[in-house]
Amino acid sequence: MEAPAAPHNPVDTRLTITSPDQMKELGRRLAKLLRAGDLVMLSGELGAGKTTLTRGLGEGLGVRGAVTSPTFVIARVHPSLGDGPPLVHVDAYRLSGGLDEMEDLDLDVSLPESVIVVEWGEGKVEELTEERLQVVIHRAVGDTTDEVRHVTLTGLGERWAAVDLSVLAA
């Protein structure tokens, strides 16, 4: 009989971002670590940079179409221009229900072959998979330029146990 796998203790990687261009570059670098089947949950107040980060992810993944906030359409699919996975960009801000309401989007069907990025997904998409990357973006308090962001990345589950997120700080 096999012993159960040791639980994965997530490790946070914290970064300071000082401009929208740096946020987009973080997305491009993060894209190199992503693969089909990955769920990325983005959290942060309005204007924190979630869509800017996702725009960089789209560039890094080489997907078709401009990545914009999907607030009014809830989800956008950006097919790959090469052999990589498509990017499914979801904005769950206007969805009040949990996974039941999200089921209409068929994210569970898309997940195995796509990279799914969900803004405002807390309490709504965690049931899709235990293996996910949580990205929390905070504006720096008292920042006079309103550009500084503190980003915390936390990989959850076996998929992320072997991924060194600290390479994103380089």
Side-chain angles (χ1 to χ4, degrees):
M1 180 185 331
E2 273 186 48
H8 166 59
N9 294 323
V11 176
D12 290 341
T13 296
R14 291 182 168 84
L15 308 169
T16 299
I17 303 296
T18 59
S19 72
D21 286 341
Q22 280 188 358
M23 186 67 78
K24 192 191 272 188
E25 178 59 27
L26 173 60
R28 284 191 286 264
R29 289 193 322 261
L30 178 56
K32 293 176 182 160
L33 302 177
L34 297 175
R35 63 184 189 207
D38 284 342
L39 172 65
V40 180
M41 289 178 49
L42 301 179
S43 304
E45 60 268 8
L46 288 169
K50 297 178 297 295
T51 300
T52 301
L53 177 71
T54 306
R55 195 169 290 126
L57 283 172
E59 288 178 11
L61 290 170
V63 299
R64 185 178 69 217
V67 175
T68 59
S69 178
T71 299
F72 297 104
V73 295
I74 310 299
R76 287 191 196 326
V77 177
H78 297 275
S80 175
L81 292 170
D83 58 359
L87 172 68
V88 178
H89 184 199
V90 179
D91 186 333
Y93 184 73
R94 297 189 187 287
L95 302 179
S96 58
L99 190 59
D100 291 340
E101 194 170 0
M102 297 295 287
E103 281 182 358
D104 290 340
L105 300 176
D106 285 333
L107 295 180
D108 55 335
V109 173
S110 300
L111 185 58
E113 70 269 355
S114 304
V115 170
I116 297 181
V117 176
V118 181
E119 298 183 28
W120 306 98
E122 303 80 17
K124 299 173 184 168
V125 296
E126 290 91 340
E127 294 175 35
L128 283 173
T129 177
E130 292 178 6
E131 299 186 337
R132 61 188 176 275
L133 180 64
Q134 293 183 178
V135 181
V136 179
I137 306 171
H138 289 287
R139 284 185 172 167
V141 176
D143 174 42
T144 57
T145 64
D146 198 35
E147 296 289 331
V148 175
R149 305 290 192 263
H150 298 288
V151 180
T152 304
L153 299 103
T154 306
L156 301 171
E158 197 173 316
R159 152 71 176 112
W160 293 99
V163 178
D164 181 10
L165 293 171
S166 69
V167 301
L168 297 171

